[in-house]
Amino acid sequence: MFANKLSPFVRQSTAVVFSKRYTSVSQKVFSSKSPDKEESKVKCTLIPGDGVGPELCVSVKEVFQAMSVPVEFEEMFLSEVNPSMSVPVETVIESIHKNGIALKGILSTPFSSSSGELQTLNMKIRKQLDLFANVVHVKTIPGIQTRHKDLDFITIREQTEGEYSALEHESVPGVIECMKIVTEQKSRRIAKFAFDYAVKHGRKKVTAIHKANIMKLSDGLFLKCCEETAQLYPQLKFEHMIIDNTCMQMVSHPHKFDVMVMPNLYGNIIDNLASGLAGGAGVVPGASYSADCVIYEPGARHTFGEAVGKNIANPTAMLLCAAKMLRHVNLPDYSKRLTDALETVIASGKAKTRDLGGYASTTDFTRSVISALAF
């Protein structure tokens, strides 16, 4: 009955877009990968990243060892700022494709490339693995002082096109053109992902973020795809909001958001802003999904390079990523033990790292988490 109210264009688009292919994408993304045997080891690609990433991954490995987690890491150092130490990106992509799961630190992106290539390593990984959906769960943790209490919302970012298309050129001397690519296919795909995610996780509202008042064709297409997708989910409330107003509303009234879906660049901005509201880059986990694999990585894109070797970084975000990864590979007991230990340590306030107003080192925090594990 509801479909009869749609225009012929919408019905035709729906037949194409919400086909079996996209249904299978959602089913694969929202499913868990089960090991063959209860105690068999799950292989996971580990990419430490730049900045404090390697130190945070050491924290994860120490906690996993203390818990005897049946996960075997296939560790690979990938870096754009230390190319002589880096493995080829093709090797990393092959490993992730084979394992279907990865834990990744943040990769630093230099302002210029010695080879003149415009695509970054992050962009290559996302495009070659088709990691089209970046999901960040922004939730305040008891024990962390924040301006707004009880935050709990989701940001979903399309991350294979838009301003990150690496299509720039100098048309005439002194004039640079940068192309923003927005396609109907990928806009509908991320919109459906967002609504499916909202339904699966019991959310009530989806907000599309855009700048269609200025970029009438590109962002207009994205908004239209979201609006037409929303008609297929009458149980969910749908709103749309301009990106600049979104930033203001997030700072002043963040509780009005539930699930947010947006194009690439806006998602990067909103993710970092939202992480700041929840306590900073060190406490918010994220994940990037394709139809076949998932990469868990911190929600805020910050390598904290100035803290390298000082043993002061907060491993909370990386440990939460690890906990979410354990749940994804059907190890929920280990995931819960790790999450509970983290929440206990943070709530006690006895091992606060510097970003949270304390003096605990990364090592101190990690040992506190291990001590709080329920055996």
Side-chain angles (χ1 to χ4, degrees), residues 135-138 283-287 297-300 316-318 320-321 324:
V135 180
V136 176
H137 187 182
V138 181
V283 300
V284 178
E297 57 187 335
T316 299
M318 190 64 81
L320 286 173
C321 287
K324 289 179 178 293

mmCIF file of all heavy atoms in Angstrom, residues 135-138 283-287 297-300 316-318 320-321 324:
data_model
loop_
_atom_site.group_PDB
_atom_site.id
_atom_site.type_symbol
_atom_site.label_atom_id
_atom_site.label_comp_id
_atom_site.label_asym_id
_atom_site.label_seq_id
_atom_site.Cartn_x
_atom_site.Cartn_y
_atom_site.Cartn_z
ATOM 1 N N VAL A 135 31.039 4.074 10.311
ATOM 2 C CA VAL A 135 30.076 4.207 11.401
ATOM 3 C C VAL A 135 30.804 4.552 12.686
ATOM 4 O O VAL A 135 31.746 3.849 13.086
ATOM 5 C CB VAL A 135 29.273 2.899 11.596
ATOM 6 C CG1 VAL A 135 28.278 3.049 12.746
ATOM 7 C CG2 VAL A 135 28.550 2.518 10.311
ATOM 8 N N VAL A 136 30.389 5.638 13.331
ATOM 9 C CA VAL A 136 30.969 6.049 14.612
ATOM 10 C C VAL A 136 29.841 6.168 15.636
ATOM 11 O O VAL A 136 28.872 6.906 15.414
ATOM 12 C CB VAL A 136 31.722 7.388 14.493
ATOM 13 C CG1 VAL A 136 32.228 7.849 15.860
ATOM 14 C CG2 VAL A 136 32.884 7.259 13.509
ATOM 15 N N HIS A 137 29.963 5.430 16.720
ATOM 16 C CA HIS A 137 28.978 5.486 17.799
ATOM 17 C C HIS A 137 29.480 6.469 18.849
ATOM 18 O O HIS A 137 30.459 6.203 19.557
ATOM 19 C CB HIS A 137 28.777 4.104 18.415
ATOM 20 C CG HIS A 137 27.670 4.048 19.415
ATOM 21 N ND1 HIS A 137 27.343 2.914 20.120
ATOM 22 C CD2 HIS A 137 26.793 5.003 19.847
ATOM 23 C CE1 HIS A 137 26.332 3.157 20.932
ATOM 24 N NE2 HIS A 137 25.984 4.422 20.786
ATOM 25 N N VAL A 138 28.828 7.604 18.935
ATOM 26 C CA VAL A 138 29.228 8.658 19.876
ATOM 27 C C VAL A 138 28.401 8.491 21.148
ATOM 28 O O VAL A 138 27.187 8.714 21.145
ATOM 29 C CB VAL A 138 29.006 10.057 19.272
ATOM 30 C CG1 VAL A 138 29.455 11.138 20.247
ATOM 31 C CG2 VAL A 138 29.744 10.177 17.947
ATOM 32 N N VAL A 283 38.625 8.354 23.032
ATOM 33 C CA VAL A 283 37.574 7.551 23.678
ATOM 34 C C VAL A 283 36.446 7.103 22.748
ATOM 35 O O VAL A 283 35.519 6.438 23.193
ATOM 36 C CB VAL A 283 36.965 8.323 24.870
ATOM 37 C CG1 VAL A 283 38.028 8.636 25.905
ATOM 38 C CG2 VAL A 283 36.269 9.601 24.418
ATOM 39 N N VAL A 284 36.504 7.446 21.463
ATOM 40 C CA VAL A 284 35.393 7.130 20.554
ATOM 41 C C VAL A 284 35.840 6.129 19.486
ATOM 42 O O VAL A 284 36.743 6.410 18.709
ATOM 43 C CB VAL A 284 34.859 8.407 19.875
ATOM 44 C CG1 VAL A 284 33.734 8.065 18.908
ATOM 45 C CG2 VAL A 284 34.377 9.403 20.920
ATOM 46 N N PRO A 285 35.198 4.947 19.438
ATOM 47 C CA PRO A 285 35.550 3.947 18.431
ATOM 48 C C PRO A 285 34.756 4.131 17.146
ATOM 49 O O PRO A 285 33.709 4.780 17.129
ATOM 50 C CB PRO A 285 35.154 2.628 19.111
ATOM 51 C CG PRO A 285 33.956 3.020 19.930
ATOM 52 C CD PRO A 285 34.195 4.441 20.397
ATOM 53 N N GLY A 286 35.242 3.532 16.069
ATOM 54 C CA GLY A 286 34.537 3.588 14.797
ATOM 55 C C GLY A 286 34.788 2.320 13.997
ATOM 56 O O GLY A 286 35.576 1.455 14.395
ATOM 57 N N ALA A 287 34.114 2.211 12.856
ATOM 58 C CA ALA A 287 34.288 1.047 11.988
ATOM 59 C C ALA A 287 33.927 1.417 10.564
ATOM 60 O O ALA A 287 33.054 2.255 10.331
ATOM 61 C CB ALA A 287 33.421 -0.118 12.466
ATOM 62 N N GLU A 297 38.553 1.019 13.698
ATOM 63 C CA GLU A 297 39.561 2.056 13.915
ATOM 64 C C GLU A 297 38.942 3.184 14.734
ATOM 65 O O GLU A 297 37.715 3.321 14.780
ATOM 66 C CB GLU A 297 40.058 2.594 12.569
ATOM 67 C CG GLU A 297 38.964 3.146 11.678
ATOM 68 C CD GLU A 297 39.459 3.506 10.287
ATOM 69 O OE1 GLU A 297 40.655 3.785 10.142
ATOM 70 O OE2 GLU A 297 38.634 3.504 9.352
ATOM 71 N N PRO A 298 39.759 3.984 15.416
ATOM 72 C CA PRO A 298 39.214 5.100 16.203
ATOM 73 C C PRO A 298 38.331 6.009 15.372
ATOM 74 O O PRO A 298 38.558 6.204 14.170
ATOM 75 C CB PRO A 298 40.476 5.820 16.696
ATOM 76 C CG PRO A 298 41.520 4.748 16.750
ATOM 77 C CD PRO A 298 41.224 3.852 15.578
ATOM 78 N N GLY A 299 37.307 6.576 16.006
ATOM 79 C CA GLY A 299 36.342 7.390 15.284
ATOM 80 C C GLY A 299 36.865 8.738 14.850
ATOM 81 O O GLY A 299 36.407 9.311 13.861
ATOM 82 N N ALA A 300 37.832 9.294 15.583
ATOM 83 C CA ALA A 300 38.413 10.599 15.240
ATOM 84 C C ALA A 300 39.737 10.388 14.524
ATOM 85 O O ALA A 300 40.554 9.558 14.940
ATOM 86 C CB ALA A 300 38.617 11.438 16.493
ATOM 87 N N THR A 316 41.710 3.963 25.217
ATOM 88 C CA THR A 316 40.296 3.593 25.336
ATOM 89 C C THR A 316 39.639 3.338 23.983
ATOM 90 O O THR A 316 38.954 2.327 23.782
ATOM 91 C CB THR A 316 39.511 4.685 26.091
ATOM 92 O OG1 THR A 316 40.043 4.826 27.404
ATOM 93 C CG2 THR A 316 38.038 4.326 26.188
ATOM 94 N N ALA A 317 39.806 4.268 23.032
ATOM 95 C CA ALA A 317 39.156 4.120 21.722
ATOM 96 C C ALA A 317 39.605 2.845 21.023
ATOM 97 O O ALA A 317 38.788 2.107 20.458
ATOM 98 C CB ALA A 317 39.446 5.337 20.849
ATOM 99 N N MET A 318 40.910 2.555 21.069
ATOM 100 C CA MET A 318 41.409 1.352 20.405
ATOM 101 C C MET A 318 40.922 0.086 21.108
ATOM 102 O O MET A 318 40.587 -0.910 20.452
ATOM 103 C CB MET A 318 42.937 1.380 20.361
ATOM 104 C CG MET A 318 43.546 0.307 19.481
ATOM 105 S SD MET A 318 43.108 0.489 17.734
ATOM 106 C CE MET A 318 44.288 1.730 17.227
ATOM 107 N N LEU A 320 38.089 -0.161 22.764
ATOM 108 C CA LEU A 320 36.668 -0.285 22.412
ATOM 109 C C LEU A 320 36.511 -0.832 20.998
ATOM 110 O O LEU A 320 35.597 -1.617 20.724
ATOM 111 C CB LEU A 320 35.968 1.067 22.544
ATOM 112 C CG LEU A 320 35.693 1.546 23.974
ATOM 113 C CD1 LEU A 320 35.154 2.968 23.967
ATOM 114 C CD2 LEU A 320 34.707 0.611 24.679
ATOM 115 N N CYS A 321 37.390 -0.406 20.098
ATOM 116 C CA CYS A 321 37.382 -0.976 18.739
ATOM 117 C C CYS A 321 37.622 -2.478 18.802
ATOM 118 O O CYS A 321 36.965 -3.264 18.102
ATOM 119 C CB CYS A 321 38.462 -0.317 17.886
ATOM 120 S SG CYS A 321 38.113 1.377 17.375
ATOM 121 N N LYS A 324 34.498 -4.246 20.028
ATOM 122 C CA LYS A 324 33.495 -4.352 18.966
ATOM 123 C C LYS A 324 33.901 -5.406 17.939
ATOM 124 O O LYS A 324 33.063 -6.132 17.396
ATOM 125 C CB LYS A 324 33.307 -2.990 18.299
ATOM 126 C CG LYS A 324 32.588 -1.971 19.180
ATOM 127 C CD LYS A 324 32.439 -0.631 18.487
ATOM 128 C CE LYS A 324 31.670 0.356 19.355
ATOM 129 N NZ LYS A 324 30.257 -0.022 19.544
#
